[in-house]
């Protein structure tokens, strides 16, 4: 997994509450068995019309947002289906971070497995960023994960964001969590020896 | 001894390792359900790293999400779906995972087959790469949806790192009025607390109205916990739980069952145990609910009208309502029971069980589907389908003009050919009414099976209680 330390990038404002994973990646694109190539289908129903042509009024179809790497949204981003295809599509499109007031739990977890940083800040801060993005299309932010800061190029806007220490370390190091867990193999084996496990009968 | 909640008892019993109480815990997973859509990349990950499935004997795979629900003897027409379905078979063979494939008599929706086969039991930790895994919490299990990376993690280690969620008691106050269902209870809760109202929490549903629910109804209730943002939903095991589990094919049998039952009953939340948050939902006046918008909190009793965004004081919410009504092509003030539908779907992990089909069949018996309406009944599993046919429900559905189909997720998420055309409107017993959920441009109204059946008969959303006085619902 790509580690995340400091990232500077263009902001794309998506001013909506409750952006659900069915919107982030519609179901017709979940049949692929690969982990890559989902970026082209990101926000498909909002991005393309019935003929498959890009909708000019959708933010990610406009320059400079089509090269954005930081997504700005509102409340409860990523709600609904558990599909990890959602963070895969966002990462494949080029996003490295999402700033929102709140996230749905499963989506939030999934981001950390894919080097994508979900940043939770209060509504006032999110609204201030939307205002900045309104005034300044080329809004770039620098996100520093170690220091947990977000800053504009001219330094006029700065904020600190909270993040769980374990999750932070994981992203900073780009850790493979399975490898890490297997360090506890003895504990898992001992749990298995001391508990009656509900094994599935053979010949199901 | 400290009074504990059901959640606390299960959680504490499954911690394999935890550095300190403020850190995330490594939880042992008792049951891992796998399906074709969220697992291929996980198995590929194992292959690339040379890892094995640690406990194939605690894992069960089934094909459900994108399987066709028409004639199973025909080849699958969708080439990409076919590849994904075949890949699951290849993966299960290679990694020794038990699989219920398309032709297995017990194939069905993962959240329906687990409980009915006795693979889901009280006290278990259960995960699946599907958000509606919360369904299994009806048995007093801790069951939650995970992403594909976590699927790979569980396959490789049979564990998962979890930060301890907060707990929420949702107490239903009052008796459930005649003619209302568990679906109406959960829609009423989501309307009250919002679709992010339980984020970060595990819900336990309590109150006499919950104790009075059948296991099928408790599954409907727990199923849509995720639609309130919850990690999981659960109900403490009681005698209803025990009776449902008695003589399930793969659950404990004989004296082992009696012994297990005693342990299961002891899992129930202790008197005096406390929750981080308590929500009361008064259901004295509960009426059949329908959604009018594009997320599950946008609902109202069927007797009401489409709300007016102008009456909403919060400008952000008013804006969301406007967007939703534009997508749904609805005008404020329209009586909900005048909204015409072209499609009706009875099925899904929310409402695709025998009990659901039976209640819908009672509404349509002796009646005909309205002209211009296409109605589908999709049993949740092979067992549900056979049991329904043994009771003649298929004949009732077909005589009324319904399609009677093969088990699968079907129109709930429209991954197979069962989708809405752009602009089509459905009354659906599924769980999500997001934009495009049932097909691009499709418009979904979530309802109970009885309400879906009534809409099929009249061609518009209808209060099933008033459909006709001679129908007992």
């Amino acid at each position: 997994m790509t580690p995340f330390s400091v990232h500077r990038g263009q902001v794309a404002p998506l001013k909506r509450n409750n952006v659900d994973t069915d919107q982030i990646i519609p179901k017709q694109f979940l049949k692929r068995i690969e982990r890559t190539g989902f970026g082209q289908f990101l926000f498909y129903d909002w991005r393309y019309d019935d003929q498959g042509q890009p909708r000019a009024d959708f933010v990610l179809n406009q320059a400079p947002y089509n090269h954005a790497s930081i997504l700005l949204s509102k409340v409860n981003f990523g709600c609904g289906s558990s599909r990890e295809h959602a963070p895969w599509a966002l990462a494949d499109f080029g996003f490295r971070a999402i700033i929102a007031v709140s996230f749905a739990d499963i989506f939030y977890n999934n981001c950390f497995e894919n080097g994508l940083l979900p940043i939770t800040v209060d509504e006032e801060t999110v609204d201030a960023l939307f205002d900045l993005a309104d005034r300044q299309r080329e809004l770039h932010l620098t996100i520093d994960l170690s220091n947990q800061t977000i800053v504009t190029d001219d330094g006029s806007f700065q904020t600190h964001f909270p993040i769980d220490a374990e999750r932070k370390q994981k992203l900073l190091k780009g850790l493979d969590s399975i490898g890490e867990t297997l360090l506890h193999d003895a504990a898992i084996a001992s749990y298995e020896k001391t508990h009656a496990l509900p094994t599935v009968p053979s010949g199901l | 001894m400290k009074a504990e909640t059901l959640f606390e008892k299960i959680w504490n019993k499954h911690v394999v390792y935890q550095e300190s109480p403020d850190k995330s815990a490594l939880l042992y997973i008792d049951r891992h359900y796998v399906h074709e859509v969220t697992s291929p990349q996980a198995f590929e990950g194992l292959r690339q790293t040379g890892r094995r499935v640690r406990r194939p004997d605690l894992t069960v795979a089934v094909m459900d999400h994108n399987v066709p629900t028409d004639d199973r003897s025909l080849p699958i027409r969708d080439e990409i779906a076919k590849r994904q379905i075949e890949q699951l078979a290849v993966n299960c063979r290679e990694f020794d995972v038990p699989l219920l494939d398309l032709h297995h008599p017990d194939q069905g929706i993962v959240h329906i087959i687990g409980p009915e086969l006795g693979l889901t039991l009280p006290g278990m930790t259960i995960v699946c790469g599907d958000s509606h895994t919360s369904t299994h919490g009806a048995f007093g299990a801790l069951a939650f949806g995970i992403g594909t990376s976590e699927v790979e993690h569980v396959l490789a280690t049979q564990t998962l790192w979890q930060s301890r969620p907060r707990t929420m008691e949702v107490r239903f106050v009052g008796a459930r009025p005649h003619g209302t269902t568990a679906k109406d209870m959960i829609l009423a809760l989501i309307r009250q607390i919002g679709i992010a109202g339980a984020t970060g929490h595990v819900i336990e549903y309590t109150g006499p109205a919950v104790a009075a629910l059948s296991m099928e109804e408790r599954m409907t209730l727990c199923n849509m916990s995720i639609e309130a943002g919850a990690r999981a939903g659960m109900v403490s095991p009681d005698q209803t739980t025990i009776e449902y589990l008695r003589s399930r094919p793969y659950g404990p049998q004989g004296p082992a069952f009696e012994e297990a039952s005693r342990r299961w009953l002891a899992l129930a939340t202790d008197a005096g145990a406390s929750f981080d948050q308590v929500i009361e939902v008064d259901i004295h006046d509960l009426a059949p609910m329908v959604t009018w918008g594009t997320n599950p909190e946008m609902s109202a009793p069927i007797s009401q009208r489409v709300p007016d965004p102008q009456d909403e004081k919060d400008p952000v919410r008013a804006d969301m309502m406007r967007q939703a009504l534009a997508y749904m092509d609805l005008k404020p003030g329209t009586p909900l029971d005048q909204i015409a539908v072209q499609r009706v779907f009875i099925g899904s992990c929310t409402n695709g069980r025998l009990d659901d089909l039976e209640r819908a069949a009672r509404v349509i018996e002796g009646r005909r589907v309205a002209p211009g309406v296409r109605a589908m009944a999709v049993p949740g599993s092979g067992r549900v389908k056979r049991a329904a046919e043994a009771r003649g429900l298929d004949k009732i559905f077909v005589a009324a003009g319904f399609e009677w189909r093969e088990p699968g997720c079907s129109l709930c998420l429209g991954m197979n050919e069962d989708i809405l055309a752009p602009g089509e409107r459905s009354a659906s017993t599924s769980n999500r009414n997001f934009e495009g959920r049932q097909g691009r441009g499709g418009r979904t109204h979530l309802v109970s099976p009885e309400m879906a059946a009534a809409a099929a008969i009249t061609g518009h959303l209808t209060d099933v209680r008033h459909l006709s006085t001679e129908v007992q619902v």
Side-chain angles (χ1 to χ4, degrees):
Chain A
M1 199 174 68
T2 329
F4 192 114
S5 52
V6 177
H7 173 76
R8 176 183 175 276
Q10 167 74 41
V11 173
L14 184 66
K15 205 169 192 169
R16 288 182 79 120
N17 284 338
N18 306 316
V19 172
D20 62 76
T21 54
D22 274 89
Q23 297 316 319
I24 298 173
I25 181 92
K27 65 218 164 257
Q28 62 268 36
F29 308 114
L30 306 185
K31 296 172 193 169
R32 297 159 61 89
I33 57 175
E34 299 81 11
R35 215 177 173 116
T36 52
F38 289 97
Q40 54 188 315
F41 310 123
L42 178 69
F43 294 119
Y44 191 87
D45 287 351
W46 289 345
R47 231 165 114 199
Y48 301 101
D49 65 19
D50 293 342
Q51 279 70 48
Q53 295 304 309
R55 294 181 201 259
D57 61 349
F58 186 63
V59 59
L60 297 186
N61 288 331
Q62 302 161 4
Y65 308 125
N66 51 353
H67 296 296
S69 60
I70 299 170
L71 187 64
L72 183 62
S73 195
K74 297 276 287 182
V75 174
N76 197 30
F77 189 89
C79 61
S81 156
S82 64
R83 58 189 70 165
E84 197 165 316
H85 310 70
W88 293 339
L90 286 160
D92 194 56
F93 182 89
F95 285 110
R96 294 300 321 275
I98 306 162
I99 304 174
V101 181
S102 58
F103 293 88
D105 290 333
I106 304 178
F107 176 84
Y108 188 78
N109 275 339
N110 285 341
C111 285
F112 288 93
E113 303 287 350
N114 293 283
L116 193 60
L117 173 61
I119 300 177
T120 309
V121 287
D122 59 33
E123 191 141 23
E124 239 167 63
T125 309
V126 163
D127 288 343
L129 284 168
F130 273 113
D131 283 347
L132 278 178
D134 274 348
R135 288 200 299 265
Q136 194 185 335
R137 284 177 77 88
E138 307 267 342
L139 177 66
H140 283 69
L141 294 174
T142 299
I143 297 169
D144 181 339
L145 178 56
S146 329
N147 293 311
Q148 300 173 220
T149 55
I150 306 172
V151 98
T152 49
D153 282 354
D154 62 7
S156 64
F157 175 93
Q158 277 195 42
T159 193
H160 185 268
F161 61 88
I163 189 166
D164 171 74
E166 290 173 278
R167 293 185 188 276
K168 175 177 164 179
Q169 283 310 314
K170 196 175 162 187
L171 264 192
L172 282 171
K173 294 179 185 154
L175 282 182
D176 163 16
S177 50
I178 297 178
E180 198 195 352
T181 303
L182 290 173
L183 298 175
H184 301 286
D185 192 49
I188 300 172
S190 136
Y191 181 97
E192 288 173 328
K193 276 204 196 82
T194 51
H195 291 74
L197 300 174
T199 54
V200 178
S202 53
L204 191 69
Chain B
M1 220 170 68
K2 182 181 169 288
E4 286 182 316
T5 62
L6 166 65
F7 165 79
E8 288 168 323
K9 294 180 195 184
I10 300 177
W11 176 277
N12 294 342
K13 227 170 259 177
H14 286 84
V15 174
V16 171
Y17 172 82
Q18 189 172 23
E19 196 184 318
S20 60
D22 58 320
K23 295 277 173 66
S24 54
L26 188 63
L27 279 194
Y28 199 81
I29 303 302
D30 293 321
R31 181 73 71 238
H32 185 191
Y33 293 114
V34 172
H35 66 83
E36 76 277 16
V37 175
T38 58
S39 69
Q41 295 86 353
F43 283 110
E44 186 56 25
L46 294 184
R47 226 172 257 121
Q48 284 165 1
T49 48
R51 290 175 177 135
R52 300 294 303 165
V53 174
R54 183 182 182 96
R55 296 301 299 252
D57 58 343
L58 299 178
T59 313
V60 178
V62 65
M63 299 165 171
D64 61 359
H65 273 62
N66 73 29
V67 302
T69 58
D70 55 3
D71 191 345
R72 289 273 161 84
S73 62
L74 299 172
I76 299 174
R77 288 179 292 272
D78 179 339
E79 279 303 318
I80 313 172
K82 182 164 175 263
R83 191 166 146 243
Q84 196 175 51
I85 287 167
E86 286 170 355
Q87 190 61 44
L88 181 63
V90 167
N91 290 337
C92 288
R93 261 199 308 278
E94 182 178 339
F95 291 94
D96 294 322
V97 172
L99 168 69
L100 304 177
D101 71 10
L102 211 45
H103 302 289
H104 194 288
D106 294 337
Q107 177 268 343
I109 304 173
V110 60
H111 309 308
I112 291 189
I113 64 150
E116 73 184 3
L117 293 176
L119 295 166
T120 289
L121 299 171
M124 280 184 170
T125 47
I126 300 175
V127 298
C128 174
D130 187 277
S131 59
H132 291 109
T133 307
S134 57
T135 312
H136 307 263
F139 290 83
L142 176 60
F144 52 93
I146 56 177
T148 299
S149 295
E150 292 174 313
V151 169
E152 183 181 340
H153 191 281
V154 176
L155 287 173
T157 69
Q158 204 58 35
T159 62
L160 208 51
W161 292 99
Q162 287 287 298
S163 53
R164 192 185 176 105
R166 291 182 293 279
T167 55
M168 177 187 281
E169 178 184 8
V170 170
R171 193 184 298 151
F172 285 96
V173 180
R176 176 166 55 104
H178 184 68
T180 61
T181 65
K183 184 67 162 279
D184 304 310
M185 289 167 69
I186 187 69
L187 284 173
L189 167 70
I190 299 164
R191 183 183 195 221
Q192 181 175 325
I193 69 172
I195 57 169
T199 302
H201 290 77
V202 167
I203 297 174
E204 181 174 340
Y205 299 100
T206 67
V210 174
L213 294 176
S214 69
M215 287 315 295
E216 286 82 357
E217 294 170 318
R218 292 179 190 183
M219 284 190 257
T220 300
L221 194 62
C222 290
N223 173 273
M224 287 186 70
S225 303
I226 181 75
E227 267 64 63
R231 281 299 274 150
M234 43 200 340
V235 176
S236 278
D238 61 10
Q239 212 50 45
T240 305
T241 321
I242 304 299
E243 290 316 313
Y244 177 99
L245 289 169
R246 201 178 287 282
S247 67
R248 294 282 149 188
Y250 300 109
Q253 311 286 335
F257 181 85
E258 301 310 325
E259 197 260 307
S261 299
R262 281 190 289 279
R263 273 188 289 115
W264 294 338
L265 290 172
L267 290 166
T269 291
D270 300 328
S274 66
F275 294 84
D276 295 316
Q277 204 179 335
V278 179
I279 303 276
E280 286 197 352
V281 183
D282 189 339
I283 57 168
H284 282 103
D285 298 327
L286 184 68
M289 303 289 288
V290 301
T291 61
W292 49 262
T294 52
N295 73 46
E297 76 181 47
M298 295 174 164
S299 72
I302 181 68
S303 55
Q304 293 191 3
R305 292 165 184 267
V306 174
D308 193 337
Q310 284 189 351
D311 301 335
E312 173 59 56
K313 285 178 196 71
D314 178 351
V316 179
R317 290 183 68 89
D319 221 38
M320 283 166 58
M321 286 169 73
R322 265 181 219 105
Q323 279 171 11
L325 293 182
Y327 181 86
M328 294 296 288
D329 191 29
L330 290 175
K331 288 196 178 49
T334 309
L336 290 170
D337 62 7
Q338 285 178 17
I339 297 172
V341 299
Q342 296 79 46
R343 300 286 296 270
V344 169
F345 172 59
I346 298 176
S348 85
C349 58
T350 312
N351 281 127
R353 297 178 190 81
L354 182 61
D355 180 48
D356 300 308
L357 297 174
E358 187 138 31
R359 287 185 286 125
R362 263 185 268 143
V363 174
I364 62 169
E365 190 160 18
R367 297 186 148 97
R368 287 285 306 167
V369 169
V373 174
R374 183 178 170 201
M376 291 165 56
V378 184
S381 72
R383 278 180 184 251
V384 168
K385 182 163 187 266
R386 289 193 299 277
E389 288 171 352
R391 297 184 188 198
L393 302 187
D394 57 324
K395 294 199 176 63
I396 296 174
F397 278 109
V398 172
F402 267 77
E403 294 169 33
W404 178 251
R405 299 178 74 98
E406 297 296 327
C409 295
S410 183
L411 190 54
C412 174
L413 84 166
M415 272 197 74
N416 65 358
E417 291 155 336
D418 309 341
I419 55 171
L420 299 185
E424 267 190 327
R425 192 182 290 285
S426 75
S428 176
T429 66
S430 52
N431 41 57
R432 288 191 178 127
N433 52 340
F434 295 147
E435 287 182 23
R437 169 77 178 184
Q438 293 188 297
R440 188 183 170 113
R443 299 175 178 127
T444 305
H445 296 276
L446 301 177
V447 290
S448 68
E450 290 89 329
M451 287 287 286
I457 301 305
T458 62
H460 54 85
L461 298 177
T462 300
D463 189 336
V464 63
R465 297 171 303 177
H466 305 150
L467 184 62
S468 160
T469 44
E470 71 264 26
V471 180
Q472 288 294 307
V473 295

